[in-house]
Amino acid sequence: MKKKKTINERTVTMFLFSTPATILYLLFFIYPVAAGIYYSLTNWNGLTNNYQFTGFKNYVNALKSTRFQNAILFNFKYTILLVICIVGLSLIMALILNSQIKFKGFFRGMYFFPAVVSMLTVGLIFNEVFFQVLPQIGQFLHIEWLSRSILSNAKTAIYAILITNVWQGIAIPTVLLMAGLQNVPSELTESAKLDGAGKWNIFRYITFPFLLPVLTVVMVLTIKDGLTIYDYIVALTNGGPGGATESTALLIYNHGFKEVNFSFGIAEAVIVTIIICSISFLQIGFSNKKSVY
């Protein structure tokens, strides 16, 4: 009987400690999501209480919208480039920083510095670099293509945003991959070396399978960042030139706050959320089949 009383007291204590967090989660996450989905089925403009239920009209109009389709295409193109750059460079950085090199502690601190700066601040700094610094260097060296800001060209503006994002976004994935490298059994690598295996074969058949769970996390986070890119675009191009860099996040903001069409913007946000969840689910399922635990 005494043991049963102890279990009950512990259960009550755990419930009391978890109640505030549960209430905050329901209040600031579950309720806004549910309310957003409801308002996406109406013609609410975000200002008045006079709105009507319109069903899936906003979703149909969003999928038919050329502007939304262009934003989705921009996000997919940007995400593919971001994943290639972030995953590739962070893996190379992790392998280098995990090896026996001089001043390893110094380099680990230096490369992580951009991660502590806000994205908007980094964007504003690179905005000056692309608009002021690089064109002046190009004029001084008489390099024609460098004399003009790449942000002013609809075809190259995306690469300016990508450079800015990669410069700051490579830090955390590198830390995660470095932690993943610590889980690779040294006995396997040593045995492979004794059997005459080269560095590439050791990486391909031993290191890479053990890194797949971490790589999955890195890829999911990078894909999410690419599909929801906003801060860098606001700081660098604000969707220009000519709407060439208008992402889905910026488009949702413009529809909601500038064009006062909240229900339509929420519908677009729900569609983007479904896309992100679907891609992440497929990526995790595929990686789990290939990884080694």
Side-chain angles (χ1 to χ4, degrees):
M1 295 296 294
K2 186 176 180 181
K3 184 177 181 181
K4 185 176 181 180
K5 182 178 179 181
T6 304
I7 294 175
N8 289 336
E9 288 179 354
R10 186 179 178 213
T11 302
V12 171
T13 302
M14 293 175 64
F15 174 78
L16 292 175
F17 272 103
S18 63
T19 298
T22 304
I23 293 174
L24 291 174
Y25 184 77
L26 292 172
L27 186 62
F28 293 103
F29 183 78
I30 300 298
Y31 172 73
V33 169
I37 294 174
Y38 169 75
Y39 283 122
S40 70
L41 302 174
T42 67
N43 61 354
W44 184 52
N45 61 6
L47 298 176
T48 65
N49 291 325
N50 298 323
Y51 57 86
Q52 297 176 344
F53 187 82
T54 58
F56 292 96
K57 182 179 179 180
N58 288 324
Y59 291 91
V60 174
N61 291 337
L63 293 174
K64 290 182 178 180
S65 172
T66 303
R67 190 176 173 189
F68 183 66
Q69 292 173 3
N70 291 335
I72 289 288
L73 290 175
F74 169 82
N75 274 92
F76 275 119
K77 179 181 177 181
Y78 182 82
T79 301
I80 292 171
L81 294 173
L82 186 66
V83 168
I84 293 173
C85 294
I86 291 289
V87 175
L89 292 176
S90 61
L91 182 58
I92 293 172
M93 287 287 293
L95 291 171
I96 293 174
L97 293 174
N98 195 60
S99 61
Q100 300 298 324
I101 60 172
K102 293 183 178 180
F103 309 110
K104 183 164 57 176
F106 171 76
F107 288 118
R108 284 181 175 180
M110 286 298 295
Y111 89 88
F112 193 78
F113 171 75
V116 303
V117 186
S118 70
M119 290 187 288
L120 190 61
T121 302
V122 172
L124 293 173
I125 292 173
F126 272 84
N127 185 47
E128 291 298 315
V129 171
F130 290 128
F131 267 116
Q132 302 292 337
V133 179
L134 291 181
Q136 291 185 10
I137 293 175
Q139 292 173 8
F140 178 77
L141 298 177
H142 302 288
I143 302 175
E144 184 178 354
W145 64 269
L146 192 61
S147 301
R148 298 185 299 272
S149 173
I150 59 176
L151 290 173
S152 59
N153 190 322
K155 295 182 179 180
T156 59
I158 184 175
Y159 300 107
I161 301 170
L162 181 68
I163 292 170
T164 306
N165 196 345
V166 170
W167 183 82
Q168 184 178 36
I170 196 177
I172 293 178
T174 303
V175 171
L176 294 175
L177 290 171
M178 286 175 61
L181 288 172
Q182 307 305 315
N183 295 325
V184 180
S186 58
E187 298 84 1
L188 292 178
T189 56
E190 292 298 330
S191 299
K193 289 179 181 178
L194 292 174
D195 291 337
K199 292 183 179 180
W200 167 247
N201 288 328
I202 292 174
F203 173 79
R204 180 181 177 183
Y205 295 107
I206 298 177
T207 305
F208 186 74
F210 279 94
L211 276 181
L212 262 180
V214 182
L215 279 172
T216 300
V217 174
V218 171
M219 289 189 68
V220 169
L221 293 176
T222 307
I223 290 171
K224 188 268 298 180
D225 291 341
L227 293 176
T228 59
I229 181 70
Y230 176 79
D231 301 73
Y232 298 119
I233 293 178
V234 171
L236 291 169
T237 64
N238 201 28
T245 60
E246 186 177 47
S247 65
T248 53
L250 183 61
L251 179 61
I252 292 167
Y253 171 82
N254 289 333
H255 279 152
F257 292 94
K258 290 186 177 181
E259 301 173 21
V260 196
N261 193 352
F262 271 80
S263 60
F264 190 73
I266 294 172
E268 292 174 326
V270 173
I271 294 173
V272 173
T273 302
I274 293 173
I275 292 173
I276 295 174
C277 292
S278 301
I279 294 175
S280 300
F281 178 78
L282 293 174
Q283 171 61 33
I284 292 172
F286 175 78
S287 298
N288 285 341
K289 294 180 180 179
K290 301 294 183 180
S291 60
V292 177
Y293 294 97

